[in-house]
Amino acid sequence: MELRGNRGEWSELYALLKLLADGRLYCGDASQNRQDDRFFPILKIFRNDQIDRTAYTVNAAKKEILVSRTNDCTIDVSQEEMQTKAHSILNAIKTHTGTFDIPEIHNFLERIDCKTIKAKSTDKADIRIVIHDLNTGSKPELGYSIKSKLGGNSTLINANKDSTNFIYQVINVDHSQMSEFNKLGKFGAKFNYLEEIGAKLSFIGTARKETHNNLTLLDLGLERILADELLLYYSTNLSSLEEITRQETNDDPLILTQNTTQPMYEYKIKQFLLAFALGMTCSKPWHGTFNANGGYIVIKEDGGLICYYFFDRNDLENYLFYNTKFDTPSTSRHLFGKIYEQGGHFFIKLNLQVRFK
């Protein structure tokens, strides 16, 4: 058996073993600190939503995990062994780059019926956990998205040339100025040039109707708010969602805050981030359903795990808002960043990508 994967893929398997070893899902605050007094006992874990899936049941009294394999065979594995194997994966993740194998855990993974590093998923849930909510007494099975800080910073919204391009009309520019603009490499220089020649950008719409429809379903003004934030990102040295939203609040392009101190822009951006974290994509019609309905599990740099529980929405929203930034993907791959002419008018596309800090 050979199992090769990158740091992010191995992180999913590490999370499975670490959660089983700990037997608890600890909550995190907006600063990614573990809250020791807020946790959910783990009763059972599944790696996917298939009918014949392997189940990992936590026996807290015996400090064992009952592994119910797909061939109807069940075995017991101690939480101590789970912890040891999780530590082996963590060490490998910290010492390897690119794609790599961890041969010393092959036999163990075969014993616990793990045939792949990354579990197959039909939605944004990377792992499914039955928790015991000590406040309500309920024992729901919930889907969680796993984000790892062990490798590079992961993305929340991936760039796509069809789905994440926003289109702006460029006003007060001619063919020679378009040519001069397109010769410039960095966006700072590009937007400085537009300012020098007195050109302005006016938002037209998203490049794909699914993106427009999804954002409109979430909030009627959200598409315009994001378009203005993207423009701030590419034309200034601001990048974090927090600081750009603060600037947009000061500018108030939609005239939302003149007679109120309510966080109009911040609230809408938080709802946008939450929707993308738990269910929405740009490429497919979204119907308001949260697939990762448990929330987010974050693997910290030291290997510790914290959870942002969906039903503690303020914590989850704050985590997303204060720990994400806009990012610039490849302009050639995603076909944006150059002025083009169409129907006698000039336009430019700017691409949306959001990454964790």
Side-chain angles (χ1 to χ4, degrees):
M1 178 174 68
E2 183 179 32
L3 296 173
R4 299 188 65 82
N6 58 34
R7 288 177 171 180
E9 291 165 337
W10 278 109
S11 291
E12 281 194 27
L13 192 54
Y14 166 75
L16 169 69
L17 304 189
K18 179 65 173 170
L19 288 167
L20 291 171
D22 292 346
R24 291 179 174 183
L25 191 53
Y26 285 94
C27 296
D29 62 19
S31 300
Q32 301 182 60
N33 298 310
R34 193 177 90 171
Q35 302 181 64
D36 291 333
D37 59 340
R38 294 185 60 207
F39 63 87
F40 300 97
I42 295 172
L43 304 180
K44 190 175 293 188
I45 296 181
F46 305 97
R47 294 194 74 201
N48 56 53
D49 53 6
Q50 303 302 311
I51 296 175
D52 60 346
R53 57 193 173 167
T54 298
Y56 302 89
T57 304
V58 179
N59 186 330
K62 293 185 177 181
K63 296 184 179 181
E64 289 181 342
I65 309 301
L66 178 65
V67 182
S68 302
R69 295 161 53 113
T70 54
N71 60 3
D72 295 327
C73 172
T74 60
I75 62 169
D76 292 325
V77 179
S78 70
Q79 286 183 302
E80 183 180 3
E81 185 175 10
M82 285 285 182
Q83 190 74 263
T84 299
K85 300 305 181 186
H87 191 67
S88 296
I89 295 177
L90 180 61
N91 283 339
I93 291 173
K94 289 183 174 181
T95 56
H96 288 77
T97 58
T99 60
F100 56 93
D101 190 10
I102 312 176
E104 62 268 27
I105 66 166
H106 283 184
N107 290 338
F108 176 76
L109 294 180
E110 190 169 355
R111 275 175 58 209
I112 66 171
D113 208 30
C114 278
K115 299 180 176 66
T116 60
I117 300 172
K118 184 176 175 63
K120 294 181 180 179
S121 177
T122 57
D123 53 38
K124 288 202 172 185
D126 298 311
I127 194 170
R128 306 192 70 82
I129 306 175
V130 179
I131 62 168
H132 183 192
D133 190 326
L134 298 175
N135 294 320
T136 65
S138 63
K139 300 175 182 179
E141 178 189 322
L142 301 171
Y144 295 83
S145 176
I146 297 173
K147 293 297 180 182
S148 174
K149 299 180 73 67
L150 295 174
N153 293 330
S154 57
T155 55
L156 174 61
I157 302 172
N158 291 311
N160 183 291
K161 67 180 180 182
D162 297 320
S163 303
T164 56
N165 272 327
F166 284 56
I167 303 172
Y168 305 75
Q169 184 175 355
V170 186
I171 303 167
N172 296 333
V173 70
D174 57 30
H175 287 93
S176 63
Q177 291 166 333
M178 175 183 73
S179 178
E180 188 66 28
F181 174 92
N182 289 340
K183 291 177 184 177
L184 299 172
K186 296 185 179 297
F187 278 98
K190 287 175 179 285
F191 278 93
N192 284 340
Y193 177 71
L194 291 181
E195 185 176 359
E196 290 173 5
I197 63 175
K200 303 292 182 182
L201 267 64
S202 176
F203 178 59
I204 300 298
T206 53
R208 186 165 178 163
K209 68 177 183 178
E210 285 84 358
T211 307
H212 165 78
N213 291 342
N214 288 348
L215 295 177
T216 302
L217 175 64
L218 193 59
D219 188 286
L220 288 174
L222 184 56
E223 186 178 30
R224 168 68 191 281
I225 290 173
L226 282 173
D228 289 335
E229 294 214 349
L230 267 183
L231 193 53
L232 278 171
Y233 167 63
Y234 282 103
S235 62
T236 70
N237 61 356
L238 303 177
S239 63
S240 79
L241 270 293
E242 176 195 4
E243 60 186 359
I244 286 180
T245 302
R246 189 188 309 122
Q247 182 62 54
E248 187 175 26
T249 300
N250 292 335
D251 297 341
D252 195 17
L254 271 65
I255 315 177
L256 297 177
T257 63
Q258 282 190 350
N259 300 309
T260 183
T261 58
Q262 292 172 279
M264 296 294 189
Y265 294 95
E266 179 178 322
Y267 178 80
K268 294 176 189 297
I269 290 298
K270 284 182 176 179
Q271 302 315 300
F272 158 70
L273 295 172
L274 182 70
F276 262 91
L278 302 181
M280 181 191 286
T281 67
C282 283
S283 58
K284 297 179 181 179
W286 184 59
H287 296 86
T289 302
F290 292 113
N291 296 317
N293 55 357
Y296 254 46
I297 294 173
V298 178
I299 306 174
K300 300 174 65 175
E301 291 91 340
D302 63 359
L305 303 184
I306 51 175
C307 171
Y308 293 93
Y309 191 36
F310 175 70
F311 296 106
D312 292 328
R313 287 184 59 163
N314 289 340
D315 287 340
L316 178 54
E317 290 169 3
N318 286 334
Y319 163 71
L320 295 170
F321 184 68
Y322 292 111
N323 291 282
T324 51
K325 64 178 181 178
F326 287 107
D327 192 30
T328 306
S330 167
T331 55
S332 58
R333 180 179 178 185
H334 300 292
L335 304 180
F336 75 99
K338 290 191 174 183
I339 297 175
Y340 61 95
E341 184 183 8
Q342 185 174 303
H345 298 284
F346 297 94
F347 301 91
I348 188 172
K349 294 178 182 178
L350 299 179
N351 199 278
L352 170 68
Q353 179 164 278
V354 176
R355 185 178 296 277
F356 286 93
K357 295 191 284 187

